[in-house]
Amino acid sequence: MRSLWKALSSSIGQKVVIAITGLGLIGFLITHLAGNLLLYLGFEHYNAYAKTLHANPLLPIAEVGLLLLFILHIALAIKVSNDNRQARGHAYVVKKSKQGKSSITASSIMLFSGVIVLGFILLHLADMRFHLRHHFEDTVSPAALTFSVLLDPVSSIVYLFGSLFLAYHLWHAFQSVFQTLGLNGPRFTPLVKKIGVILALILGLGFASFPIWAYLKNTGVL
């Protein structure tokens, strides 16, 4: 417990925790996307997957763990970004470059994209997990519920652009994770960058495809 508190008290320790929690969240996104892709195989496949998932007694524990992971990642990211601004002696996101031009710091971009992704995830939870914006009968299948939510104009737009911001965030975050953990070098770094780009494209475009698919399917194109 003391070692954890010591890690959270230092700048380097906080960045390492952000990197580790980030890897955990990336793992969740990969698993989540793989499950959602079953929609493309047919509603019956997705319903079977959802039924198996929710029948798992460990699901509540996994959800709580994921929530704590997410909160820790966001809280530390905000703290590190704020500490960096204070260390530079600036209270503004935009700063002057040596040439006198305004430039936006990488940490500010990551924080901004992270906030957008957070909004996207909160709406996703409100729609799919807690049904705060949509009310369905208990007899409605998971696939039908998901399809209906994806047709909602607000949800579809937020999901589409939120997924693109997610791709951008992952593109930079994946590289930062390995740099923070000291797993970089002349030969290793180019490979990490390529994997980061591929991973960001797969996850970002994968999640962005669902509202497009729902619209095309609803209009009879698919």
Side-chain angles (χ1 to χ4, degrees), residues 168-182:
Y168 181 83
H169 190 79
L170 288 174
W171 175 31
H172 292 278
F174 189 78
Q175 301 174 30
S176 299
V177 164
F178 288 88
Q179 183 177 358
T180 299
L181 297 177

Side-chain angles (χ1 to χ4, degrees), residues 140-215:
V140 176
S141 69
L145 184 152
T146 301
F147 183 69
S148 179
V149 170
L150 288 172
L151 291 177
D152 178 79
V154 174
S155 297
S156 61
I157 293 175
V158 173
Y159 286 15
L160 179 60
F161 286 98
S163 298
L164 297 180
F165 271 100
L166 174 64
Y168 181 83
H169 190 79
L170 288 174
W171 175 31
H172 292 278
F174 189 78
Q175 301 174 30
S176 299
V177 164
F178 288 88
Q179 183 177 358
T180 299
L181 297 177
L183 302 174
N184 54 358
R187 296 182 179 180
F188 193 64
T189 299
L191 178 61
V192 170
K193 289 183 177 180
K194 291 179 181 179
I195 295 176
V197 171
I198 294 173
L199 184 65
L201 288 175
I202 291 176
L203 290 174
L205 297 180
F207 284 115
S209 70
F210 292 115
I212 298 175
W213 163 80
Y215 173 79

Side-chain angles (χ1 to χ4, degrees), residues 11-42:
S11 176
I12 297 177
Q14 290 169 5
K15 292 179 180 179
V16 170
V17 174
I18 290 174
I20 294 175
T21 54
L23 283 177
L25 292 173
I26 290 175
F28 163 73
L29 288 173
I30 294 174
T31 304
H32 191 49
L33 177 61
N36 287 348
L37 287 174
L38 292 174
L39 280 169
Y40 293 159
L41 298 180

Side-chain angles (χ1 to χ4, degrees), residues 32 36 119-130 158-159:
H32 191 49
N36 287 348
F120 161 47
I121 293 175
L122 290 177
L123 179 66
H124 179 68
L125 290 174
D127 285 346
M128 302 294 190
R129 184 67 177 86
F130 301 107
V158 173
Y159 286 15

Side-chain angles (χ1 to χ4, degrees), residues 63-82:
E63 289 180 331
V64 171
L66 180 63
L67 177 62
L68 294 176
L69 198 70
F70 192 73
I71 292 175
L72 184 60
H73 184 79
I74 294 176
L76 287 179
I78 293 175
K79 185 179 185 304
V80 168
S81 179
N82 184 59

